[in-house]
Amino acid sequence: MIPDPVLAAPPDRGGPAGRASPAPDSGARRRTAPLRLFLMTGLILGGFAYNAWWYWRDTRPLADLRKIEIWIGNREYGDARKELGEHLRRAPHDGAARIMLARVLAARGNLTGCIRELQQVPTWWPKKDEALYRQGQAYLMLNRARDAEAALLAVIDADPLHPADPAIFHDASQELLSLYATEDRWDDAHVILWKVYDRSPPEDRPTVLAMRIQSELERIAPTESTKLLRRYVAADPDDWEARRALANAELALGQRAEALRDLRDCLDARPEDPRLWRDYLTMLQSLGEVDDFNAVLDRVPALAETEPDLWIFRAQARERAGDWTTAAAHYRRALELNPNLLNAHYRLANIEGRLGHSIEAAAHRKRWQELHEARSALRQAFGAYFEAQKSLPNDSPELLASIRRLASICQTLGWSRAADGWSRLAGP
């Protein structure tokens, strides 16, 4: 007979010898219950503690910035940094706390961290100019001249509706002028000088005018500038302004191979810069490398033709070839770009004479004579003004005469803005 499946015994799933599995141990459950309760209680209490700590962290009183300023003055940088970090966690856009933290980091030698904090000061913060100035200082301490220039220029070129604080503007302009002097960038320095002049009160303007004259009479010795320039290039190999200045300083020191190498590197990186072609051609000419000079002159790009000295070089090359007509045309083009080139007037006067253009030759010779005499008189005239300014009252006839003399010399040399400034100082 076939068993009734409903009534059939279930298959044996027990252990050996067909024994049935034992029932769960209810005692084990009772033993683990306290552990689960303990863990659950710990989680709940931990959550309460974490929330309490979080609440305390967000609501505990913080030392105000005046107190932190005292800590910084006492060199208690650890406490200052900790408290400023909490200030900024709660208010990331607090520019004052950000600038103070940057100062703390700089004092502890962390200039990179200092810069990072200053960069995070919002552009709308009232003292953004201070942040930019300090940023420029930190970059200079790291020998990153190119980045320092950008930060300092941002102070100088601030929105006219929100100009930089006068003291910050003054200090930033002095740092920038010092950098340009080191890199022998006098055209750029003059732009900054006139911006300083425009923002200066009347009593400070004679100092700015004197700086304009000094920029023509004084230069940093290459033995000194190369020390800084080498550090700038080492810190930022792509700083082509520093490398260009280094090449010229190296040439002045007789380091021919280094000078040529550095200037070639500059030209390879920035072939569109007319000043680099000018400096390279000047270097080759001074070294007597006539063949290289001619080869480089032939490959100067058209975009560099705004540089007056380029046309002088072309004129000199045509002179050597005996092509007086083309040489004269090149000198005229140089004088169109800059009418006050002493050498161009002298050379053109000679060539015009060769070509039989006596009137033109006389005019250029006269202009050369005026420029030559003015250049020769500048140092003595400035010295006379300086001595008179130190010892005589502002309305003394001798001082006013020395000022008018400087105005006349500047006018002759084509420095119209300086001439106007000195004339205003002398009065009617």
Side-chain angles (χ1 to χ4, degrees), residues 355-409:
L355 295 173
H357 304 157
S358 57
I359 296 176
E360 291 84 350
H364 288 294
R365 191 168 290 108
K366 180 175 182 294
R367 181 61 181 147
W368 170 80
Q369 188 70 31
E370 293 171 347
L371 290 168
H372 177 72
E373 291 176 357
R375 282 275 181 189
S376 300
L378 181 61
R379 187 178 297 276
Q380 185 276 332
F382 183 66
Y385 160 76
F386 190 72
E387 292 300 322
Q389 186 266 340
K390 284 195 305 183
S391 58
L392 298 174
N394 291 339
D395 59 350
S396 68
E398 294 87 351
L399 176 59
L400 295 177
S402 69
I403 292 173
R404 292 189 181 96
R405 175 66 174 148
L406 281 176
S408 175
I409 290 174

Side-chain angles (χ1 to χ4, degrees), residues 1 20 38 43 46 51 53 59 63 67 70 83 101 115 117 172 198 242 247 268 311 327 388 400 411 426:
M1 295 177 62
F38 175 78
L43 287 172
N51 286 323
W53 172 82
T59 59
K67 184 174 183 179
I70 294 173
E83 205 71 354
L101 179 56
I115 292 168
E117 294 299 329
D198 290 337
D268 288 342
W311 293 98
L400 295 177
Q411 189 65 49

Side-chain angles (χ1 to χ4, degrees), residues 194 197 202 204-217 378 381-389 394 399-413 415-428:
W194 292 122
Y197 181 87
D204 291 343
R205 289 185 171 180
T207 301
V208 182
L209 291 170
M211 291 173 67
R212 174 65 182 86
I213 300 298
Q214 286 173 315
S215 72
E216 300 290 335
L217 300 176
L378 181 61
F382 183 66
Y385 160 76
F386 190 72
E387 292 300 322
Q389 186 266 340
N394 291 339
L399 176 59
L400 295 177
S402 69
I403 292 173
R404 292 189 181 96
R405 175 66 174 148
L406 281 176
S408 175
I409 290 174
C410 289
Q411 189 65 49
T412 299
L413 292 172
W415 307 340
S416 56
R417 184 100 197 257
D420 180 69
W422 288 111
S423 295
R424 289 175 184 273
L425 193 59

